[in-house]
Amino acid sequence: MKKQFALKNQDDTEFVQPNVIHLFSLVGMFITLVMGIIELFNEHTMLASILFVASFVYFLGYFAFTRLNNSALSAAIILYSLYLLMFYLVYSGGVENTGPLWIFMVAPVSVFIHGLKRGLIDIAGFLIIISLIMFFPIEIMDHAVYSIEFKLRLIYSFLTVTFLSALYEYSREKSYLHTVELSKKYRQLANLDPLTQLSNRRDALNILKREQVRMKRNKEPLSVILCDIDFFKKINDHYGHNAGDTVLVELAKLFKHSIREQDCVARWGGEEFLFILPQTTAENANIIAEKIQENIHEFAVPIEGEEVSITVSMGIEQLDRSKNIDNVINSADKYLYQAKDAGRNQIFPKHK
Protein backbone atom coordinates (compact mmCIF):
# COMPACT_ATOMS: atom_id res chain seq x y z
CA MET A 1 0.00 0.00 0.00
CA LYS A 2 1.17 3.51 -0.72
CA LYS A 3 2.22 5.97 1.98
CA GLN A 4 -1.05 7.84 1.52
CA PHE A 5 -2.95 4.94 3.00
CA ALA A 6 -0.46 3.70 5.57
CA LEU A 7 -1.83 3.13 9.03
CA LYS A 8 -1.49 6.18 11.21
CA ASN A 9 0.95 5.61 14.01
CA GLN A 10 -0.06 6.36 17.54
CA ASP A 11 2.33 8.24 19.74
CA ASP A 12 3.94 5.06 21.04
CA THR A 13 6.52 6.83 23.18
CA GLU A 14 3.92 8.71 25.23
CA PHE A 15 3.48 6.93 28.54
CA VAL A 16 1.59 9.62 30.43
CA GLN A 17 -1.93 8.53 31.24
CA PRO A 18 -4.00 11.72 31.17
CA ASN A 19 -6.89 10.27 33.15
CA VAL A 20 -4.58 9.34 36.02
CA ILE A 21 -2.99 12.81 35.94
CA HIS A 22 -6.47 14.29 36.07
CA LEU A 23 -7.34 12.08 39.06
CA PHE A 24 -4.02 12.87 40.79
CA SER A 25 -4.61 16.61 40.51
CA LEU A 26 -8.14 16.25 41.87
CA VAL A 27 -7.10 14.03 44.78
CA GLY A 28 -4.05 16.19 45.53
CA MET A 29 -6.22 19.30 45.61
CA PHE A 30 -8.63 17.84 48.17
CA ILE A 31 -6.00 16.11 50.33
CA THR A 32 -3.83 19.22 50.69
CA LEU A 33 -6.96 21.31 51.34
CA VAL A 34 -8.11 18.96 54.13
CA MET A 35 -4.60 18.78 55.61
CA GLY A 36 -4.36 22.56 55.46
CA ILE A 37 -7.62 22.91 57.40
CA ILE A 38 -6.41 20.39 59.99
CA GLU A 39 -3.10 22.21 60.45
CA LEU A 40 -4.97 25.50 60.71
CA PHE A 41 -7.02 24.12 63.60
CA ASN A 42 -3.78 22.84 65.14
CA GLU A 43 -2.48 26.42 64.92
CA HIS A 44 0.31 25.50 62.50
CA THR A 45 -0.35 28.62 60.48
CA MET A 46 2.70 28.51 58.23
CA LEU A 47 2.23 24.85 57.28
CA ALA A 48 -1.49 25.40 56.76
CA SER A 49 -0.76 28.32 54.42
CA ILE A 50 1.69 26.23 52.40
CA LEU A 51 -0.86 23.42 52.10
CA PHE A 52 -3.57 25.86 50.96
CA VAL A 53 -1.20 27.20 48.29
CA ALA A 54 -0.42 23.61 47.22
CA SER A 55 -4.15 22.88 46.99
CA PHE A 56 -4.61 25.92 44.76
CA VAL A 57 -1.70 24.85 42.56
CA TYR A 58 -3.24 21.39 42.17
CA PHE A 59 -6.45 23.15 41.21
CA LEU A 60 -4.49 24.95 38.48
CA GLY A 61 -3.25 21.56 37.26
CA TYR A 62 -6.84 20.29 37.25
CA PHE A 63 -7.94 23.42 35.38
CA ALA A 64 -5.15 23.01 32.80
CA PHE A 65 -6.36 19.50 32.08
CA THR A 66 -10.13 20.00 32.07
CA ARG A 67 -10.41 23.48 30.57
CA LEU A 68 -7.26 23.96 28.52
CA ASN A 69 -7.06 20.26 27.52
CA ASN A 70 -3.31 20.42 28.14
CA SER A 71 -2.20 17.25 29.93
CA ALA A 72 1.52 18.13 29.60
CA LEU A 73 1.04 21.46 31.39
CA SER A 74 -1.15 19.81 34.01
CA ALA A 75 1.51 17.14 34.61
CA ALA A 76 4.27 19.74 34.96
CA ILE A 77 2.23 21.79 37.44
CA ILE A 78 1.43 18.71 39.52
CA LEU A 79 4.95 17.29 39.57
CA TYR A 80 6.97 20.42 40.24
CA SER A 81 4.52 21.79 42.79
CA LEU A 82 4.92 18.43 44.56
CA TYR A 83 8.69 18.97 44.54
CA LEU A 84 8.33 22.43 46.05
CA LEU A 85 6.03 21.11 48.77
CA MET A 86 8.53 18.36 49.58
CA PHE A 87 11.36 20.89 49.76
CA TYR A 88 9.40 22.88 52.30
CA LEU A 89 8.46 19.82 54.37
CA VAL A 90 12.09 18.65 54.50
CA TYR A 91 13.34 22.15 55.34
CA SER A 92 10.71 22.88 58.01
CA GLY A 93 10.30 19.31 59.25
CA GLY A 94 6.52 19.47 58.97
CA VAL A 95 4.70 18.19 62.03
CA GLU A 96 7.19 16.87 64.59
CA ASN A 97 9.85 16.37 61.91
CA THR A 98 7.72 13.87 59.97
CA GLY A 99 7.72 16.01 56.81
CA PRO A 100 10.57 14.09 55.09
CA LEU A 101 8.49 10.91 55.15
CA TRP A 102 6.37 12.32 52.31
CA ILE A 103 9.26 12.39 49.84
CA PHE A 104 8.81 8.69 49.00
CA MET A 105 5.90 9.54 46.74
CA VAL A 106 8.22 11.59 44.50
CA ALA A 107 9.93 8.67 42.75
CA PRO A 108 6.85 6.78 41.47
CA VAL A 109 5.05 9.99 40.51
CA SER A 110 8.10 11.30 38.62
CA VAL A 111 8.71 8.21 36.50
CA PHE A 112 5.00 7.79 35.85
CA ILE A 113 4.48 11.34 34.65
CA HIS A 114 7.69 11.86 32.68
CA GLY A 115 8.68 8.32 31.79
CA LEU A 116 11.79 6.44 32.85
CA LYS A 117 14.62 8.55 31.42
CA ARG A 118 13.38 12.05 32.16
CA GLY A 119 11.80 10.87 35.40
CA LEU A 120 15.19 9.65 36.69
CA ILE A 121 16.78 12.97 35.69
CA ASP A 122 14.08 14.82 37.64
CA ILE A 123 14.58 12.54 40.64
CA ALA A 124 18.35 13.10 40.56
CA GLY A 125 17.82 16.88 40.63
CA PHE A 126 15.28 16.49 43.44
CA LEU A 127 17.65 14.33 45.49
CA ILE A 128 20.51 16.83 45.11
CA ILE A 129 18.34 19.69 46.34
CA ILE A 130 16.96 17.61 49.24
CA SER A 131 20.50 16.67 50.26
CA LEU A 132 21.60 20.31 50.18
CA ILE A 133 18.57 21.30 52.27
CA MET A 134 19.32 18.65 54.92
CA PHE A 135 23.13 18.89 55.03
CA PHE A 136 23.62 22.58 54.25
CA PRO A 137 20.44 24.41 55.29
CA ILE A 138 20.23 28.12 54.54
CA GLU A 139 19.01 30.21 57.45
CA ILE A 140 15.84 31.60 55.90
CA MET A 141 13.54 30.71 58.79
CA ASP A 142 13.38 28.09 61.51
CA HIS A 143 14.33 24.78 60.00
CA ALA A 144 14.36 21.17 61.16
CA VAL A 145 17.48 19.54 62.49
CA TYR A 146 17.99 15.88 61.68
CA SER A 147 20.60 13.44 62.89
CA ILE A 148 23.18 12.26 60.40
CA GLU A 149 21.81 8.71 60.72
CA PHE A 150 18.31 9.89 59.83
CA LYS A 151 19.56 11.84 56.80
CA LEU A 152 21.58 8.93 55.45
CA ARG A 153 18.81 6.38 56.03
CA LEU A 154 16.29 8.70 54.43
CA ILE A 155 18.47 8.99 51.34
CA TYR A 156 19.16 5.22 51.22
CA SER A 157 15.46 4.48 51.56
CA PHE A 158 14.60 7.05 48.89
CA LEU A 159 17.15 5.51 46.50
CA THR A 160 15.66 2.06 47.14
CA VAL A 161 12.15 3.31 46.36
CA THR A 162 13.54 5.06 43.27
CA PHE A 163 15.16 1.83 42.07
CA LEU A 164 11.93 -0.12 42.56
CA SER A 165 9.89 2.61 40.84
CA ALA A 166 12.32 2.69 37.92
CA LEU A 167 12.21 -1.10 37.62
CA TYR A 168 8.43 -1.06 37.61
CA GLU A 169 8.30 1.77 35.06
CA TYR A 170 10.81 -0.02 32.82
CA SER A 171 8.66 -3.17 32.90
CA ARG A 172 5.54 -1.11 32.27
CA GLU A 173 7.06 0.68 29.28
CA LYS A 174 8.32 -2.59 27.78
CA SER A 175 4.91 -4.17 28.26
CA TYR A 176 3.24 -1.09 26.76
CA LEU A 177 5.48 -1.10 23.69
CA HIS A 178 4.96 -4.81 23.21
CA THR A 179 1.20 -4.34 23.43
CA VAL A 180 1.31 -1.46 20.93
CA GLU A 181 3.41 -3.53 18.54
CA LEU A 182 0.99 -6.44 18.77
CA SER A 183 -1.96 -4.11 18.29
CA LYS A 184 -0.32 -2.58 15.22
CA LYS A 185 0.40 -6.03 13.81
CA TYR A 186 -3.19 -7.16 14.35
CA ARG A 187 -4.51 -3.98 12.73
CA GLN A 188 -2.30 -4.66 9.72
CA LEU A 189 -3.47 -8.28 9.55
CA ALA A 190 -7.08 -7.09 9.71
CA ASN A 191 -6.54 -4.68 6.81
CA LEU A 192 -4.13 -6.60 4.58
CA ASP A 193 -4.69 -9.51 2.26
CA PRO A 194 -2.30 -12.19 3.61
CA LEU A 195 -1.35 -13.50 0.15
CA THR A 196 -0.71 -10.33 -1.86
CA GLN A 197 -0.03 -7.93 1.05
CA LEU A 198 -2.40 -5.46 -0.58
CA SER A 199 -5.29 -3.81 1.22
CA ASN A 200 -8.17 -6.21 1.64
CA ARG A 201 -11.83 -5.50 0.90
CA ARG A 202 -12.49 -4.03 4.37
CA ASP A 203 -9.56 -1.65 4.19
CA ALA A 204 -10.45 -0.64 0.63
CA LEU A 205 -13.96 0.32 1.75
CA ASN A 206 -12.53 2.38 4.62
CA ILE A 207 -10.17 4.14 2.21
CA LEU A 208 -13.05 4.82 -0.17
CA LYS A 209 -15.10 6.36 2.64
CA ARG A 210 -12.20 8.64 3.65
CA GLU A 211 -11.57 9.65 0.07
CA GLN A 212 -15.28 10.30 -0.46
CA VAL A 213 -15.29 12.73 2.49
CA ARG A 214 -12.20 14.46 1.13
CA MET A 215 -13.69 14.57 -2.36
CA LYS A 216 -16.80 16.35 -1.06
CA ARG A 217 -14.70 18.75 1.00
CA ASN A 218 -12.16 19.61 -1.72
CA LYS A 219 -14.53 19.12 -4.67
CA GLU A 220 -12.00 16.87 -6.38
CA PRO A 221 -12.84 13.89 -8.62
CA LEU A 222 -12.43 10.30 -7.51
CA SER A 223 -12.49 7.23 -9.73
CA VAL A 224 -12.23 3.49 -9.25
CA ILE A 225 -11.12 0.66 -11.51
CA LEU A 226 -12.40 -2.85 -10.92
CA CYS A 227 -10.02 -5.35 -12.50
CA ASP A 228 -10.39 -9.09 -13.04
CA ILE A 229 -7.81 -11.61 -14.32
CA ASP A 230 -8.98 -13.24 -17.54
CA PHE A 231 -9.30 -17.04 -17.56
CA PHE A 232 -7.86 -17.32 -14.07
CA LYS A 233 -9.76 -20.56 -13.46
CA LYS A 234 -7.91 -22.17 -16.36
CA ILE A 235 -4.58 -21.28 -14.74
CA ASN A 236 -5.68 -22.95 -11.49
CA ASP A 237 -7.04 -25.98 -13.31
CA HIS A 238 -4.01 -26.44 -15.57
CA TYR A 239 -1.12 -25.53 -13.25
CA GLY A 240 -2.67 -25.87 -9.79
CA HIS A 241 -3.72 -23.43 -7.10
CA ASN A 242 -0.15 -22.71 -6.02
CA ALA A 243 0.53 -21.41 -9.52
CA GLY A 244 -2.62 -19.31 -9.26
CA ASP A 245 -1.35 -17.82 -6.00
CA THR A 246 1.97 -17.02 -7.67
CA VAL A 247 0.13 -15.16 -10.44
CA LEU A 248 -1.81 -13.13 -7.85
CA VAL A 249 1.34 -12.24 -5.90
CA GLU A 250 3.35 -11.22 -8.96
CA LEU A 251 0.46 -9.28 -10.43
CA ALA A 252 -0.03 -7.44 -7.13
CA LYS A 253 3.62 -6.33 -7.29
CA LEU A 254 3.15 -5.09 -10.84
CA PHE A 255 0.00 -3.19 -9.86
CA LYS A 256 1.76 -1.44 -6.96
CA HIS A 257 4.52 -0.27 -9.30
CA SER A 258 2.04 0.86 -11.94
CA ILE A 259 0.05 3.35 -9.88
CA ARG A 260 0.80 6.79 -8.51
CA GLU A 261 1.85 7.73 -5.00
CA GLN A 262 -1.64 8.85 -4.00
CA ASP A 263 -3.41 5.79 -5.45
CA CYS A 264 -4.27 2.51 -3.77
CA VAL A 265 -4.80 -0.99 -5.11
CA ALA A 266 -6.61 -3.62 -3.07
CA ARG A 267 -7.46 -7.26 -3.51
CA TRP A 268 -11.23 -7.07 -3.81
CA GLY A 269 -11.79 -10.80 -3.74
CA GLY A 270 -10.58 -13.91 -5.56
CA GLU A 271 -8.88 -12.70 -8.74
CA GLU A 272 -10.47 -9.22 -8.60
CA PHE A 273 -8.56 -6.06 -7.73
CA LEU A 274 -9.85 -2.57 -6.96
CA PHE A 275 -7.90 0.56 -7.80
CA ILE A 276 -8.81 3.74 -5.89
CA LEU A 277 -7.69 6.86 -7.73
CA PRO A 278 -8.07 10.17 -5.84
CA GLN A 279 -8.09 13.45 -7.79
CA THR A 280 -8.81 11.49 -10.97
CA THR A 281 -11.61 11.78 -13.50
CA ALA A 282 -12.95 8.74 -15.36
CA GLU A 283 -11.07 9.92 -18.46
CA ASN A 284 -7.76 10.01 -16.60
CA ALA A 285 -8.58 6.70 -14.93
CA ASN A 286 -8.88 5.25 -18.43
CA ILE A 287 -5.33 6.45 -19.19
CA ILE A 288 -4.06 4.81 -16.00
CA ALA A 289 -5.91 1.58 -16.89
CA GLU A 290 -4.31 1.56 -20.35
CA LYS A 291 -0.88 2.02 -18.76
CA ILE A 292 -1.54 -0.91 -16.43
CA GLN A 293 -2.61 -3.08 -19.38
CA GLU A 294 0.55 -2.14 -21.29
CA ASN A 295 2.66 -3.23 -18.31
CA ILE A 296 0.72 -6.50 -18.11
CA HIS A 297 1.28 -7.19 -21.83
CA GLU A 298 5.03 -7.14 -21.12
CA PHE A 299 4.55 -9.30 -18.06
CA ALA A 300 4.77 -13.09 -17.82
CA VAL A 301 4.82 -15.39 -14.80
CA PRO A 302 7.31 -18.27 -14.85
CA ILE A 303 5.39 -21.43 -13.91
CA GLU A 304 6.86 -24.91 -14.23
CA GLY A 305 9.38 -23.73 -16.79
CA GLU A 306 6.77 -21.89 -18.85
CA GLU A 307 6.24 -18.14 -19.26
CA VAL A 308 2.51 -17.70 -18.64
CA SER A 309 1.04 -14.50 -20.07
CA ILE A 310 -1.80 -12.75 -18.30
CA THR A 311 -4.54 -10.39 -19.45
CA VAL A 312 -7.09 -8.46 -17.40
CA SER A 313 -10.46 -6.86 -17.98
CA MET A 314 -11.34 -3.54 -16.32
CA GLY A 315 -14.42 -1.52 -15.48
CA ILE A 316 -14.13 2.18 -14.61
CA GLU A 317 -16.50 4.46 -12.72
CA GLN A 318 -16.22 7.95 -11.26
CA LEU A 319 -17.63 8.82 -7.87
CA ASP A 320 -19.61 12.02 -7.58
CA ARG A 321 -22.03 13.62 -5.11
CA SER A 322 -25.05 11.84 -6.61
CA LYS A 323 -23.59 8.33 -6.13
CA ASN A 324 -22.76 6.33 -3.05
CA ILE A 325 -19.90 3.86 -2.83
CA ASP A 326 -22.06 0.78 -3.42
CA ASN A 327 -23.51 2.31 -6.57
CA VAL A 328 -20.06 3.16 -7.90
CA ILE A 329 -18.71 -0.36 -7.23
CA ASN A 330 -21.78 -1.95 -8.82
CA SER A 331 -21.44 0.30 -11.85
CA ALA A 332 -17.74 -0.53 -12.23
CA ASP A 333 -18.65 -4.22 -11.91
CA LYS A 334 -21.18 -3.91 -14.76
CA TYR A 335 -18.57 -2.25 -16.94
CA LEU A 336 -16.14 -5.03 -16.02
CA TYR A 337 -18.56 -7.69 -17.29
CA GLN A 338 -19.15 -5.67 -20.43
CA ALA A 339 -15.39 -5.80 -20.98
CA LYS A 340 -15.44 -9.57 -20.54
CA ASP A 341 -18.41 -9.97 -22.85
CA ALA A 342 -16.56 -7.91 -25.47
CA GLY A 343 -13.81 -10.54 -25.59
CA ARG A 344 -11.79 -9.80 -22.42
CA ASN A 345 -8.55 -7.84 -22.19
CA GLN A 346 -10.75 -4.74 -22.53
CA ILE A 347 -11.43 -1.52 -20.64
CA PHE A 348 -15.02 -0.27 -20.27
CA PRO A 349 -16.31 2.30 -20.76
CA LYS A 350 -13.95 3.82 -23.29
CA HIS A 351 -13.11 7.47 -22.65
CA LYS A 352 -11.48 9.60 -25.29
Side-chain angles (χ1 to χ4, degrees):
M1 188 188 299
K2 297 295 182 177
K3 296 178 182 177
Q4 182 78 13
F5 304 101
L7 289 171
K8 292 183 179 179
N9 292 327
Q10 300 292 328
D11 188 4
D12 295 340
T13 60
E14 182 60 69
F15 295 98
V16 174
Q17 298 181 16
N19 289 333
V20 178
I21 292 174
H22 168 252
L23 181 62
F24 192 93
S25 62
L26 193 62
V27 171
M29 178 174 64
F30 282 109
I31 287 179
T32 50
L33 179 62
V34 171
M35 291 178 65
I37 293 172
I38 292 173
E39 296 307 322
L40 188 62
F41 276 106
N42 290 335
E43 298 183 352
H44 297 147
T45 309
M46 184 64 179
L47 180 56
S49 300
I50 295 295
L51 289 170
F52 288 144
V53 170
S55 179
F56 177 73
V57 172
Y58 283 125
F59 167 76
L60 293 179
Y62 176 79
F63 180 84
F65 182 88
T66 56
R67 299 299 181 184
L68 303 180
N69 197 29
N70 191 330
S71 60
L73 176 60
S74 176
I77 291 173
I78 291 168
L79 182 61
Y80 297 125
S81 64
L82 176 66
Y83 283 14
L84 292 174
L85 179 59
M86 294 302 105
F87 295 153
Y88 171 76
L89 290 175
V90 171
Y91 183 84
S92 67
V95 179
E96 297 183 1
N97 279 10
T98 60
L101 299 179
W102 290 95
I103 71 170
F104 294 109
M105 72 170 66
V106 166
V109 172
S110 297
V111 295
F112 177 82
I113 287 180
H114 279 162
L116 184 59
K117 185 176 180 180
R118 184 176 170 185
L120 288 176
I121 293 173
D122 287 341
I123 292 170
F126 173 84
L127 184 58
I128 291 171
I129 295 175
I130 287 296
S131 300
L132 291 174
I133 290 173
M134 290 193 300
F135 288 98
F136 308 101
I138 301 174
E139 298 292 339
I140 301 175
M141 58 182 185
D142 291 340
H143 61 83
V145 177
Y146 308 103
S147 67
I148 188 68
E149 290 81 7
F150 176 84
K151 297 174 187 177
L152 292 175
R153 281 167 175 73
L154 183 69
I155 291 175
Y156 296 155
S157 300
F158 181 78
L159 288 172
T160 302
V161 173
T162 298
F163 171 76
L164 293 174
S165 299
L167 184 63
Y168 169 78
E169 184 64 19
Y170 174 78
S171 300
R172 191 177 76 87
E173 290 185 3
K174 294 289 286 184
S175 176
Y176 176 83
L177 288 174
H178 179 65
T179 303
V180 168
E181 191 62 32
L182 283 178
S183 176
K184 189 186 300 183
K185 188 177 294 184
Y186 287 137
R187 285 199 305 269
Q188 289 175 341
L189 289 174
N191 292 319
L192 289 181
D193 173 59
L195 178 64
T196 62
Q197 296 301 298
L198 298 177
S199 292
N200 59 17
R201 191 186 191 101
R202 176 194 300 175
D203 194 38
L205 286 172
N206 289 333
I207 292 169
L208 271 174
K209 290 174 184 176
R210 290 199 301 267
E211 290 301 324
Q212 184 183 37
V213 171
R214 187 163 66 174
M215 178 201 74
K216 292 180 178 179
R217 183 176 65 248
N218 299 336
K219 298 180 180 179
E220 296 174 337
L222 172 66
S223 295
V224 299
I225 302 173
L226 195 58
C227 169
D228 185 87
I229 303 174
D230 296 329
F231 303 111
F232 185 72
K233 186 176 183 301
K234 290 184 178 180
I235 296 175
N236 280 332
D237 292 343
H238 184 73
Y239 297 102
H241 288 280
N242 287 339
D245 288 347
T246 300
V247 170
L248 291 171
V249 170
E250 294 303 317
L251 202 57
K253 293 177 183 177
L254 182 144
F255 286 157
K256 285 194 289 186
H257 287 94
S258 299
I259 58 178
R260 304 164 302 178
E261 189 72 18
Q262 71 266 29
D263 300 334
C264 174
V265 57
R267 187 180 179 191
W268 191 244
E271 65 272 23
E272 284 189 338
F273 296 85
L274 180 71
F275 295 83
I276 302 171
L277 311 173
Q279 303 170 337
T280 306
T281 62
E283 291 79 6
N284 289 332
N286 193 272
I287 296 173
I288 294 173
E290 289 175 350
K291 175 188 172 184
I292 293 171
Q293 276 202 332
E294 288 175 7
N295 291 340
I296 292 174
H297 291 160
E298 301 171 0
F299 169 80
V301 181
I303 299 175
E304 298 180 1
E306 296 182 34
E307 294 290 325
V308 179
S309 297
I310 306 296
T311 63
V312 298
S313 300
M314 299 185 182
I316 299 173
E317 185 56 284
Q318 181 175 331
L319 183 64
D320 58 41
R321 293 173 181 269
S322 64
K323 301 173 184 174
N324 60 38
I325 291 174
D326 288 338
N327 290 339
V328 169
I329 297 298
N330 290 335
S331 179
D333 192 53
K334 290 177 182 177
Y335 286 130
L336 171 62
Y337 277 94
Q338 287 182 29
K340 285 186 172 294
D341 290 340
R344 293 180 169 81
N345 194 23
Q346 302 287 326
I347 300 170
F348 267 72
K350 294 290 185 179
H351 294 276
K352 298 298 182 182

